[in-house]
Amino acid sequence: MNGTTTGSLDRIEQQIDIDASAERVWELVSTAGWWINDDRIVEHRIEEQGSRVVVHDEKHGAFTLAIESLDAPRYAAFRWFNATPTAAEPDAERDPRVSTIVEFWIEERADGGVVLRVAESGFEGLDRSSEERRRMFDENTEGWAIELGFARDHIANELAAGR
């Protein structure tokens, strides 16, 4: 697994190799909020609210997301809100100040399996103090490394179990 930042505190990029088909990895990464976990990937209750979805996690609470783009089995993008949206529909002015964009790319490897890449961007535009933005950036940088590992292990365990 490797990860980088762009030199600023706006974009996190990381990737991991997964020994599975693009379609199998897509089943996971196209699910809104799959990355909201503690020590393993769990199923969440997902509630639709207009163009947004609310992901309910037993430990961490509710998280609002918007599905920005789904291009099976190669690309998925979500807007991840860090403040409750004021409406169920997009707000082009406010949304970028209260959310980041999370993007996933699934690329087939020549030797089989895939590379799963994630990028989360938009930290610098958040309506938060510089200290809060830095804390969020640092926590999510560490969190993406963990979640990509969970994704790899989750898929490997399901494949081993014949699912």
Side-chain angles (χ1 to χ4, degrees):
M1 180 173 358
N2 58 34
T4 62
T5 60
T6 58
S8 73
L9 297 178
D10 191 58
R11 184 178 178 88
I12 300 165
E13 296 181 19
Q14 298 191 11
Q15 68 183 43
I16 193 168
D17 290 343
I18 299 178
D19 293 327
S21 69
E23 291 77 14
R24 178 60 197 95
V25 176
W26 174 256
E27 288 176 30
L28 177 64
V29 302
S30 63
T31 303
W34 69 266
W35 62 88
I36 301 169
N37 300 293
D38 198 25
D39 59 354
R40 63 184 163 77
I41 295 192
V42 298
E43 287 192 39
H44 296 102
R45 181 171 63 88
I46 298 176
E47 173 187 2
E48 292 185 26
Q49 293 185 350
S51 67
R52 310 201 192 275
V53 295
V54 178
V55 178
H56 296 273
D57 182 81
E58 287 185 14
K59 181 173 183 175
H60 301 289
F63 295 85
T64 303
L65 305 168
I67 299 169
E68 295 287 309
S69 179
L70 296 174
D71 183 16
R74 303 285 175 234
Y75 176 77
F78 303 90
R79 182 171 292 280
W80 188 6
F81 290 88
N82 61 69
T84 304
T86 56
E89 297 304 319
D91 181 337
E93 185 178 319
R94 184 173 189 271
D95 287 357
R97 295 191 322 255
V98 296
S99 64
T100 56
I101 297 292
V102 176
E103 299 172 279
F104 299 99
W105 292 267
I106 301 167
E107 301 165 352
E108 292 182 3
R109 295 188 329 246
D111 62 346
V114 301
V115 175
L116 173 59
R117 291 189 305 123
V118 64
E120 183 177 6
S121 60
F123 292 94
E124 290 180 350
L126 294 175
D127 191 14
R128 300 282 182 112
S129 71
S130 61
E131 293 81 15
E132 287 177 298
R133 289 192 307 271
R134 176 59 191 238
R135 179 189 51 75
M136 292 171 69
F137 182 87
D138 290 345
E139 288 175 355
N140 289 17
T141 298
E142 180 181 354
W144 282 118
I146 293 167
E147 292 303 330
L148 289 178
F150 287 166
R152 180 196 58 218
D153 297 346
H154 177 79
I155 292 169
N157 290 339
E158 285 195 339
L159 291 173
R163 289 181 254 168

